[in-house]
Amino acid sequence: MPRTFDRRAIQDPSQIRLLSSPVRQELVDTLSALGGEASVADLAEQLGRPADGLYYHLRALCRGGLVREVAPAEGDEKRYRLAGTGDAPLRLAYRAGRSGNLGAVGGFARGLLRVATRDFEQALKLEDVALDGPRRELWTARNKGWLNARDVEEVNRLIERLCELTSQPRAPGREHLMSLSFVLAPIRARAKRRAPSGSR
């Protein structure tokens, strides 16, 4: 596997399969949100998980080339950094065909939706979450409608902008850590089922 890759276009099915684990998705997302590098203690604090339980997943991500261990200064704790080039968080590049990666991408999507469900259900229990108005923080929805080619282009532009906004690293003035998950999928009309002959 090449040592350098564009983290905005991960194609390798083995790397994508690594990210089908919700814990590993959270680790790379959190590393990105913390500026691309963090200590295990920082990651554990942000994820609300014991640090000891993260080492197994971090080692797997290092073996897969998605994360690198940073040599600590004397007396400092271990730190990990997102591997690859590019400023954006990890993104997948879908490849169809016999040598494609769509099976691995499907596993990634299942893991992503598990994380999204958990994030949403935990947020429902918080008392200080804005539920309406211009600073609303909690949404779930499913929309289904007919689009033309220009509509699809506009949807993609808006999704790209949402991804930019919700992928910014921690900085002064940005005090709300938020997650955004989405699925955009074309739907093919299903053939009408015929009632078995003889049924009423």
Side-chain angles (χ1 to χ4, degrees):
M1 176 171 46
R3 294 183 64 116
T4 303
F5 63 92
D6 185 346
R7 73 169 67 130
R8 298 161 300 184
I10 297 173
Q11 300 182 47
D12 186 328
S14 64
Q15 290 182 320
I16 296 171
R17 280 192 292 273
L18 273 174
L19 294 172
S20 66
S21 158
V23 176
R24 292 175 199 155
Q25 283 190 26
E26 286 188 297
L27 282 168
V28 296
D29 289 346
T30 305
L31 275 170
S32 181
L34 295 175
E37 182 180 317
S39 69
V40 177
D42 287 339
L43 292 167
E45 179 184 359
Q46 292 297 321
L47 295 173
R49 293 176 177 270
D52 289 350
L54 299 180
Y55 283 106
Y56 169 81
H57 295 287
L58 286 164
R59 282 193 297 269
L61 289 166
C62 286
R63 281 193 306 273
L66 293 169
V67 169
R68 289 188 295 125
E69 188 176 327
V70 179
E74 190 174 338
D76 284 351
E77 59 184 312
K78 277 187 183 177
R79 297 182 68 79
Y80 291 86
R81 178 182 299 153
L82 286 178
T85 61
D87 297 329
L90 300 182
R91 294 283 183 255
L92 308 186
Y94 304 171
R95 272 194 348 242
R98 186 175 297 177
S99 62
N101 61 12
L102 299 186
V105 170
F108 172 85
R110 287 187 292 277
L112 178 147
L113 293 172
R114 285 197 303 272
V115 174
T117 299
R118 199 213 54 231
D119 287 348
F120 187 81
E121 289 177 347
Q122 287 180 348
L124 285 173
K125 299 172 186 171
L126 301 175
E127 295 183 3
D128 60 345
V129 174
L131 301 176
D132 53 30
R135 295 195 176 177
R136 182 176 179 171
E137 299 172 297
L138 189 64
W139 282 71
T140 186
R142 181 174 187 266
N143 300 305
K144 185 175 178 179
W146 297 91
L147 307 182
N148 61 30
R150 290 185 69 182
D151 295 335
V152 172
E153 289 176 9
E154 177 73 356
V155 166
N156 278 280
R157 188 186 66 75
L158 293 170
I159 288 174
E160 286 290 345
R161 180 59 182 142
L162 284 170
C163 289
E164 287 174 14
L165 286 170
T166 55
S167 298
Q168 298 178 102
R170 182 167 55 184
R174 290 193 201 121
E175 62 276 359
H176 299 288
L177 183 60
M178 308 279 287
S179 73
L180 172 71
S181 303
F182 64 88
V183 172
L184 175 68
I187 298 173
R188 301 287 182 247
R190 296 185 182 114
K192 197 173 188 179
R193 291 185 178 172
R194 292 178 174 236
S197 59
S199 64
R200 292 183 184 183

